Amino acid sequence: LKQCVEIVEKAGLRYALEPHPFMMMSNADAMLRLIDFVKSEAFGMNLDPSHLFPCGEIPHLTILKLRGRVFHCHFSDNDAASNVHWRPGKGKIDWKSVLRALKETNFDGFISVELEDVPGVSTGRTPEPASPLLDEEYILTKEYLENLAKKVGIEVP
């Protein structure tokens, strides 16, 4: 990991490691240990609350613990009992607090919506292409997140 980050750093880029259940890093404390080991400002997290939540993490506290080391976000929701990827607002993740924590820590990266277990999705396990139901899930996600962002004082273009 140190060698990988050195290469990334020399290229003027940053490396964002994504937490995942049962992998190299699945929570904030493990990420902090890796940050301490790698010792590079170019190393941070691709925050994925739907992976953190089933591991017992509270996503907005993860953001506050990592202060400035969240480089990118994958947004999807779940019930903490599984690793499903529903649209934000459908599960139990406290998205208002997530957005507030991102604002408080001056997050300036990108947020990608990652929907996998929603109506109309094409998973690759079946030959059917995505349907208009998936479009509706993305529209609902956009409206939900924009509304919350405005409530916590994040300007939405």
Side-chain angles (χ1 to χ4, degrees):
L1 192 54
K2 275 186 173 183
Q3 291 174 333
C4 179
V5 173
E6 285 174 13
I7 292 166
V8 167
E9 200 169 27
K10 285 178 186 173
L13 301 171
R14 298 189 304 178
Y15 183 88
L17 184 64
E18 182 171 343
H20 201 284
F22 312 112
M23 297 293 183
M24 180 188 308
M25 183 268 300
S26 63
N27 61 43
D29 290 337
M31 186 66 197
L32 289 170
R33 286 192 299 275
L34 285 171
I35 288 169
D36 188 49
F37 174 76
V38 172
K39 297 185 187 334
S40 170
E41 294 297 316
F43 180 58
M45 180 185 274
N46 175 25
L47 181 86
D48 192 326
S50 68
H51 290 184
L52 292 165
F53 202 45
C55 293
E57 288 284 288
I58 299 172
H60 63 276
L61 295 181
T62 297
I63 296 164
L64 296 174
K65 278 183 169 183
L66 295 179
R67 290 248 172 233
R69 291 301 185 110
V70 175
F71 295 166
H72 186 84
C73 297
H74 284 172
F75 275 13
S76 56
D77 210 338
N78 63 42
D79 57 5
S82 67
N83 191 37
V84 296
H85 290 64
W86 298 327
R87 69 178 147 81
K90 187 171 178 174
K92 295 181 178 177
I93 293 172
D94 181 354
W95 291 102
K96 189 174 183 182
S97 292
V98 167
L99 292 174
R100 189 178 291 123
L102 288 172
K103 181 180 185 212
E104 184 179 319
T105 58
N106 299 313
F107 173 74
D108 66 351
F110 291 93
I111 295 170
S112 302
V113 176
E114 189 177 54
L115 304 182
E116 296 175 7
D117 304 285
V118 296
V121 74
S122 176
T123 63
R125 295 183 294 268
T126 59
E128 295 87 29
S131 79
L133 292 172
L134 180 60
D135 295 337
E136 184 63 24
E137 290 290 314
Y138 277 107
I139 290 166
L140 291 169
T141 297
K142 181 179 182 288
E143 291 170 354
Y144 176 78
L145 291 174
E146 283 179 342
N147 183 39
L148 285 182
K150 288 176 186 172
K151 287 181 179 177
V152 300
I154 296 173
E155 187 176 321
V156 179

